[in-house]
C-alpha cells in the first residue's frame, strides 16, 4: 500500500458518499443497540427501499455518538441534525422530513453545551464512520499516519513526536507514553518485543475503551502498528474482556480488513516491517487490567500480578520487553503523528496534554461518553456538559477513577482536571469513569460498594489486599449498622494505610482510596454512625 | 577496572556494612550476615513471588517500602530492616492472616513447628485486632499418606511452586480468588484421585503451617523436613531464587 493507493481508496469512498443527498447515521454502540437501534437501522433500510430512495439516501451504522442517555441516536448528514430516542415507528416521519423541516419532536440541540464544550480527537470519527468498513475510515484520513511513518519517519522520530506531544498513559497512572516507548525501544534486542493493548476495562461505570473499540477500531490498530514500528515489535495482542462481544466482533472484522489491505501482516506497505495483531479475551477478572497480571493472563497463566521491577518494558510477556498501553493511548497516536506533537500539546495543562475521554454516569442529566480538553474544571463537566443533577436534587460528590479513585466534594469542583490535581484531591484520573453522586446517597454506602468490588476482585496473592479488603468491608458494614466504635474507626484508618502501602499491585495500593477520600471530605457521615453508647462515653471522658 | 566475572557491591544493612555479589537479593545478603528479616512465602530454592509482604524494608530513606526477597543489591544502598512503621505493618499482616482462617495452635499438628506461629512470636503479636472471619473449609483426606486442611492455609503458594518448579508435576494450583482462594489438586479433584501427583510429599514439607500434613500425626508432631530442597537445587547447578 502506497500513499497513492491509499488516496485512491479514500477518493473513491468520498465520491461514493457524496453521491447521496442525505446520509443517515444510526448509533450502533452497545447502549443504543440495547435500546433497539438495530431495529431502527433495519427499518430505515426497508423503508428506503420501499420508497425507492436508494440513490439519494444512505443509511449506515456508526459508533457511539456520546449522548447515551437519549439513545437510540440518529444523525442526518450533511445537515447535522441529531435525533434522540428513535424507534422503528418514527422512521417514516424522519424520512418524510428529509427535504423539508426537521422532525422537531425528537430533534436535539447540537449547540447545547453538551456538544459545544467538548473537544473531539480520539472520538472524532465515532458516530461518523461505519466501524465495520475500513474504506470509511480511510476516507476520513485513516491509515495516513501509518503510511507516513513507514515511508518517512525513523522509529526515533516517531518517539520524538510522542515526547513533544506530552501524551501520558490514558489507563490511569499517567506514565509518559514517549518515555515508555523509548524504554522498550532501547531494551535488549535479542528477544522479540511485543505490543500489548490493554482493553480490559473493568471499572464500574466506565465504558470509554469499549466505545472507542466499537466506534473506531481501526484507529487503535493503526496506533498499535505505529507503536510496533517505533519499538521494533512484530507481534501485538489486544487483551479485551469477553464481556464486550460487540467490541470483539468489530475488532475481528477490523483486523481482517487491515490484513487484507496490507496494514497488518508481512511487508506492510511494501517495507520490511511485519506486524501481526491477535485478540486475547479476558475471563472476567478486574485485576487483569493491571499490566503484570494482564501479561500473566496473556501467557495462559492465572491472572495474578507480578512484583515490579522488573517492569514489562524490560521483562514482560514471556520475559521479553513488552509495551503495554491502554486503548485510548493507542487511539491518540494516529492524530499525533499526522498532525504533529505540537498540535496535540496545544490543549491541556502544563503536565497533562491533549484531551481525555470520560464516561459520565450516575446522577447527572446527560449520561454519556464525552471527550474534553485536559484542564477543564469538574464543574464544567458536570454542570455544563452533564447538564447538572436531575430531579431537583443537590450535587454531593463526584467519584473519578472507579474503585481506585476517590470522591471529590462540591468545594473542589473548580479544580482543573489533570493527573496531578486529581491525585492531590485524593482521587485519580483512572481510565476515565466519572460517577456523579447526589444528596440521596450515603457516603459510607458508596465507600462500601467500592470496597465490595475490590474485595471480590482481589486476586488473593498478597495478604494486605486479600484480607485487608475483607476486613475493611466488614468494618464499613458495622458503620452501616451503627455498631461501630471509635476504635473501629481507628482500625479502619490503620487498614487503609497498610493496604495502600503494603499491597503488591495497583489494585490493592489504590483500593482504600474510596474510604480515605470519603473520610477526608465526609468524616461526619462516619462519626454520625458511631454506636450511641460509645459517643456518650466520649463526652464523659 | 579488572575483568572479574562478578562485581562486588558494598551496602549497609541496619548500620552494618556488608558486601554482596551483584544480582543477590537484600534478603540473601541479610541472611548471610545473620540479620533476620521475617518471611512466610519465601523459601530458598523456590522462585520469589513477593506475596506475603513481610520482608518489606526501607531503602535509602525511601517512603515506598521495597521487598527484600526480590530487590537486588546496589552499590551504596542503605537498608533498614526494622523501624516502628515496618514493625507495625508486619504485625498487622500477621494479624490479618490469623483473622482470615482458623488458626488454632492448641489443636494443630504443626504447633511448635509452625512458621506463622514463630513469626507471630518474633513480631510480638499477642492479640488480634481484627474480627475473625471464621470460614468453613472442608478437609481433604483422600490421599493415603497426606491431608490438606484449608483452614490452616495462608495461601503462600510454596506448595504450588515446589510442585511445579522442583517436582515438575504442577499438580497444585489455586482456584477462586481473594480470600476465597483454595489450593487445589489437578482440576480440583480429591487429592487421592489425582492423576498427576507423584506422592513425593514435597508440598507437605515446604508448607509453613499445618495446612499440609502427614497423616497419623497428632498435635505438635508435624515437623517439616526440607533437606531435599537445597540438595536438589545444588544438583541442578543453580539457585533458583
Amino acid at each position: 500500500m502506497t500513499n497513492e493507493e491509499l488516496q485512491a481508496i479514500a477518493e473513491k469512498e468520498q465520491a461514493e458518499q457524496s453521491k447521496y443527498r442525505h446520509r443517515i447515521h444510526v448509533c450502533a454502540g452497545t447502549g443504543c443497540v440495547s435500546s433497539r437501534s438495530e431495529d431502527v437501522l433495519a427499518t430505515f433500510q426497508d423503508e428506503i427501499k420501499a420508497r425507492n430512495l436508494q440513490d439519494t439516501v444512505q443509511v449506515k451504522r456508526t459508533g457511539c455518538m456520546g449522548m447515551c442517555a437519549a439513545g437510540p441516536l440518529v444523525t442526518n448528514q450533511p445537515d447535522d441534525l441529531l435525533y434522540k430516542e428513535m424507534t422503528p415507528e418514527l422512521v417514516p416521519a424522519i424520512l418524510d422530513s428529509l427535504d423539508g423541516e426537521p422532525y422537531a419532536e425528537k430533534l436535539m440541540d447540537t449547540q447545547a453545551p453538551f456538544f459545544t464544550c467538548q473537544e473531539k480527537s480520539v472520538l472524532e470519527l465515532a458516530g461518523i464512520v461505519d466501524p465495520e468498513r475500513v474504506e470509511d475510515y480511510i476516507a476520513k484520513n485513516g491509515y495516513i499516519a501509518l503510511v507516513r511513518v513507514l515511508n518517512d519517519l525513523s522509529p526515533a522520530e516517531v518517539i520524538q513526536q510522542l515526547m513533544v506531544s506530552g501524551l501520558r498513559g490514558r489507563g490511569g497512572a499517567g506514565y509518559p507514553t514517549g518515555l515508555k516507548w523509548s524504554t522498550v525501544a532501547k531494551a535488549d534486542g535479542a528477544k522479540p518485543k511485543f505490543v500489548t493493548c490493554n482493553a480490559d476495562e473493568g471499572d464500574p461505570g466506565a465504558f470509554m475503551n469499549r466505545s472507542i473499540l466499537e466506534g473506531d477500531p481501526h484507529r487503535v490498530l493503526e496506533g498499535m502498528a505505529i507503536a510496533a514500528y517505533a519499538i521494533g515489535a512484530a507481534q501485538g495482542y489486544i487483551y479485551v474482556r469477553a464481556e464486550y462481544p460487540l467490541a470483539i466482533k468489530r475488532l475481528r472484522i477490523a483486523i481482517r480488513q487491515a490484513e487484507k489491505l496490507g496494514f497488518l501482516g508481512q511487508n506492510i506497505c511494501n517495507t520490511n516491517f511485519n506486524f501481526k495483531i491477535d485478540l486475547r479475551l479476558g475471563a472476567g477478572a478486574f485485576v487483569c487490567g493491571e499490566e503484570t497480571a494482564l501479561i500473566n493472563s496473556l501467557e495462559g497463566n492465572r491472572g495474578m500480578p507480578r512484583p515490579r521491577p522488573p517492569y514489562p518494558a524490560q521483562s514482560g510477556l514471556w520475559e521479553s520487553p513488552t509495551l503495554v498501553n491502554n486503548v485510548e493511548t493507542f487511539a491518540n497516536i494516529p492524530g499525533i503523528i499526522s498532525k504533529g506533537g505540537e498540535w496535540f500539546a496545544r490543549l491541556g495543562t502544563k503536565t497533562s496534554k491533549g484531551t481525555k475521554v470520560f464516561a459520565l454516569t450516575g446522577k447527572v442529566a446527560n449520561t454519556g461518553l464525552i471527550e474534553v480538553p485536559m484542564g477543564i474544571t469538574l464543574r464544567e463537566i458536570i454542570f455544563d456538559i452533564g447538564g447538572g443533577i436531575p430531579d431537583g436534587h443537590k450535587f454531593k460528590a463526584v467519584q473519578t477513577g472507579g474503585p481506585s479513585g476517590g470522591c471529590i466534594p462540591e468545594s473542589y469542583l473548580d479544580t482543573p482536571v489533570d493527573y496531578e490535581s486529581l491525585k492531590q484531591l485524593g482521587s485519580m484520573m483512572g481510565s476515565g469513569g466519572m460517577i456523579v453522586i447526589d444528596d440521596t446517597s450515603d457516603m459510607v454506602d458508596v465507600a462500601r460498594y467500592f470496597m465490595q468490588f475490590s474485595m471480590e476482585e482481589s486476586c488473593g496473592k498478597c495478604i494486605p489486599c486479600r484480607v485487608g479488603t475483607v476486613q475493611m468491608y466488614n468494618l464499613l458494614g458495622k458503620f452501616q449498622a451503627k455498631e461501630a466504635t471509635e476504635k473501629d474507626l481507628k482500625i479502619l484508618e490503620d487498614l487503609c494505610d497498610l493496604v495502600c502501602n503494603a499491597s503488591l499491585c495497583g489494585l490493592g495500593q489504590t483500593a482504600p482510596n474510596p474510604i480515605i477520600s470519603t473520610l477526608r471530605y465526609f468524616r461526619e457521615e462516619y462519626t454520625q454512625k458511631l454506636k450511641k453508647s460509645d459517643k456518650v462515653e466520649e463526652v464523659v471522658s | 577496572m579488572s575483568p572479574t566475572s562478578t562485581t562486588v557491591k558494598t551496602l549497609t544493612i541496619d548500620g552494618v556494612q556488608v558486601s554482596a555479589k551483584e544480582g543477590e537479593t537484600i534478603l540473601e545478603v541479610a541472611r548471610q550476615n545473620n540479620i533476620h528479616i521475617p518471611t512466610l512465602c519465601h523459601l530458598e530454592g523456590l522462585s520469589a513471588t513477593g506475596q506475603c509482604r513481610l520482608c518489606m524494608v526501607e531503602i535509602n530513606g525511601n517512603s515506598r517500602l521495597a521487598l527484600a526477597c526480590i530487590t537486588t543489591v546496589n552499590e551504596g544502598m542503605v537498608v533498614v530492616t526494622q523501624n516502628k512503621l515496618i514493625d507495625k505493618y508486619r504485625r498487622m499482616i500477621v494479624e490479618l492472616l490469623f483473622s482470615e482462617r482458623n488458626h488454632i495452635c492448641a489443636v494443630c499438628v504443626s504447633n511448635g513447628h509452625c512458621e506463622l506461629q514463630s513469626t507471630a512470636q518474633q513480631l510480638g503479636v499477642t492479640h488480634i485486632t481484627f474480627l475473625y472471619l471464621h470460614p468453613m473449609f472442608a478437609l481433604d483426606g483422600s490421599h493415603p499418606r497426606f491431608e490438606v486442611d484449608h483452614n490452616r492455609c495462608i495461601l503462600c503458594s510454596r506448595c504450588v511452586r515446589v510442585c511445579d518448579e522442583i517436582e515438575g508435576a504442577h499438580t497444585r494450583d489455586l482456584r477462586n480468588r481473594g480470600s476465597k482462594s483454595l489450593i487445589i489438586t489437578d482440576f480440583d479433584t480429591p487429592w487421592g484421585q489425582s492423576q498427576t501427583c507423584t506422592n513425593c510429599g514435597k508440598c507437605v514439607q515446604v508448607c509453613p503451617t499445618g495446612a499440609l500434613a502427614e497423616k497419623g500425626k497428632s498435635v505438635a508432631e508435624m515437623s517439616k523436613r526440607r533437606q531435599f530442597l537445597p540438595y536438589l537445587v545444588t544438583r541442578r547447578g543453580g539457585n533458583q531464587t
Side-chain angles (χ1 to χ4, degrees), chain A residues 65 113 211 219 266 368 436 532:
Chain A
M65 297 173 181
S211 302
R219 179 180 293 267
Q266 303 286 315
V436 181
K532 288 266 157 45

Side-chain angles (χ1 to χ4, degrees), chain A residues 284-286 302 304 307-309 455-464 466-468 470-471 474 478 487 490-491 494-495 497-498 500-505 509, chain B residues 40 48-53 56 63-65 67 70 85 88-90 92-93 96-97 99-100 129-133 154-155 173-181:
Chain A
F286 176 68
R302 188 176 151 92
M304 282 178 138
R308 298 181 304 181
M455 174 180 82
E456 283 169 1
E457 294 298 338
S458 168
C459 76
K461 185 165 181 174
C462 74
I463 302 160
R466 184 180 79 220
V467 200
V470 181
Q471 292 289 1
N474 288 347
K478 271 179 101 175
K487 199 179 149 208
K490 171 82 176 51
I491 297 173
D494 279 350
L495 273 172
D497 177 49
L498 174 82
C500 269
N501 289 303
S503 292
L504 195 159
C505 80
Q509 286 161 11
Chain B
L40 279 175
T49 54
Q51 61 191 87
C52 78
R53 320 302 288 170
M56 52 172 87
S63 62
R64 189 96 217 154
L65 301 172
L67 293 185
I70 51 166
L85 185 69
K88 180 183 161 193
Y89 284 161
R90 284 180 183 157
M92 283 179 81
I93 289 172
L96 282 175
L97 274 181
S99 78
E100 188 186 21
T129 319
F130 311 111
L131 286 176
Y132 286 100
L133 302 177
I154 60 166
L155 297 170
D173 215 313
L174 290 163
R175 62 169 279 189
N176 301 347
R177 61 181 175 225
S179 229
K180 298 191 183 87
S181 301

Side-chain angles (χ1 to χ4, degrees), chain B residues 97-170:
Chain B
L97 274 181
F98 273 104
S99 78
E100 188 186 21
R101 295 202 173 173
N102 305 308
H103 298 283
I104 302 157
C105 302
V107 295
C108 179
V109 285
S110 283
N111 190 2
H113 311 288
C114 171
E115 290 178 52
L116 178 63
Q117 190 182 38
S118 58
T119 307
Q121 285 162 352
Q122 283 157 19
L123 294 171
V125 176
T126 52
H127 64 283
I128 308 301
T129 319
F130 311 111
L131 286 176
Y132 286 100
L133 302 177
H134 292 308
M136 293 277 279
F137 289 116
L139 269 71
D140 181 0
S142 59
H143 193 278
R145 285 165 55 207
F146 311 117
E147 61 190 1
V148 53
D149 182 354
H150 299 290
N151 297 295
R152 295 166 181 164
C153 176
I154 60 166
L155 297 170
C156 67
S157 85
R158 279 187 192 175
C159 53
V160 177
R161 282 175 282 154
V162 80
C163 188
D164 176 33
E165 296 166 11
I166 305 295
E167 182 63 10
H170 203 140

Side-chain angles (χ1 to χ4, degrees), chain A residues 209-477:
Chain A
N209 294 350
R210 191 196 72 205
S211 302
I212 294 171
L213 292 174
E214 285 174 0
D216 199 1
H218 284 285
R219 179 180 293 267
V220 179
L221 301 185
E222 187 178 3
M224 286 181 72
I226 294 170
Y229 175 76
I231 66 162
Q235 174 68 50
Y237 293 100
I238 301 177
Y239 188 90
V240 55
R241 59 189 307 210
E243 293 91 334
Y244 283 176
L246 194 58
I248 293 163
K249 178 186 154 208
R250 291 190 180 152
L251 272 174
R252 287 213 166 107
I253 294 171
I255 291 172
R256 211 160 45 230
Q257 290 173 340
E259 281 171 350
K260 209 168 163 191
L261 288 178
F263 298 122
L264 294 174
Q266 303 286 315
N267 299 102
I268 297 171
C269 302
N270 307 324
T271 64
N272 58 5
F273 170 59
N274 307 323
F275 184 57
K276 197 167 151 276
I277 294 179
D278 286 315
L279 284 188
R280 290 289 181 270
L281 307 192
F286 176 68
V287 73
C288 289
E290 199 278 339
E291 59 178 6
T292 59
L294 183 149
I295 285 169
N296 261 354
S297 182
L298 269 180
E299 290 177 357
N301 297 321
R302 188 176 151 92
M304 282 178 138
R306 306 171 181 173
R308 298 181 304 181
Y311 286 88
Q314 285 171 351
S315 171
L317 198 53
W318 295 293
E319 291 169 13
S320 282
T322 305
L323 175 75
V324 186
N325 274 144
N326 177 264
V327 170
E328 197 183 328
T329 313
F330 283 122
N332 268 303
I333 304 299
I336 291 174
I337 296 299
S338 47
K339 295 174 192 158
E342 291 88 2
W343 167 82
F344 185 83
R346 82 196 190 283
L347 290 174
T349 64
K350 197 161 171 254
T351 54
S352 310
K353 302 291 186 195
T355 58
K356 177 80 189 85
V357 181
F358 287 103
L360 195 56
T361 58
K363 298 293 177 62
V364 62
N366 302 332
T367 306
L369 186 76
I370 58 165
E371 183 170 1
V372 290
M374 292 274 194
I376 190 172
T377 64
L378 287 165
R379 193 182 295 281
E380 285 173 272
I381 294 181
I382 294 160
F383 288 94
D384 295 348
I385 297 177
I389 316 299
D391 306 330
H393 285 290
K394 217 175 145 291
F395 173 86
K396 187 167 188 181
V398 56
Q399 217 277 349
T400 69
S404 316
C407 296
I408 299 169
E410 174 139 35
S411 47
Y412 292 98
L413 273 187
D414 291 309
T415 311
V417 171
D418 69 17
Y419 291 96
E420 277 70 27
S421 56
L422 288 181
K423 207 164 176 191
Q424 244 170 22
L425 294 178
S427 185
M428 67 184 283
M429 180 76 80
S431 54
M434 205 174 260
I435 303 171
V436 181
I437 298 163
D438 71 6
D439 54 8
T440 57
S441 294
D442 182 277
M443 297 317 278
V444 177
D445 293 347
V446 171
R448 191 161 189 250
Y449 166 78
F450 283 109
M451 194 43 66
Q452 180 180 17
F453 182 87
S454 295
M455 174 180 82
E456 283 169 1
E457 294 298 338
S458 168
C459 76
K461 185 165 181 174
C462 74
I463 302 160
C465 172
R466 184 180 79 220
V467 200
T469 51
V470 181
Q471 292 289 1
M472 287 192 281
Y473 173 77
N474 288 347
L475 278 173
L476 290 176

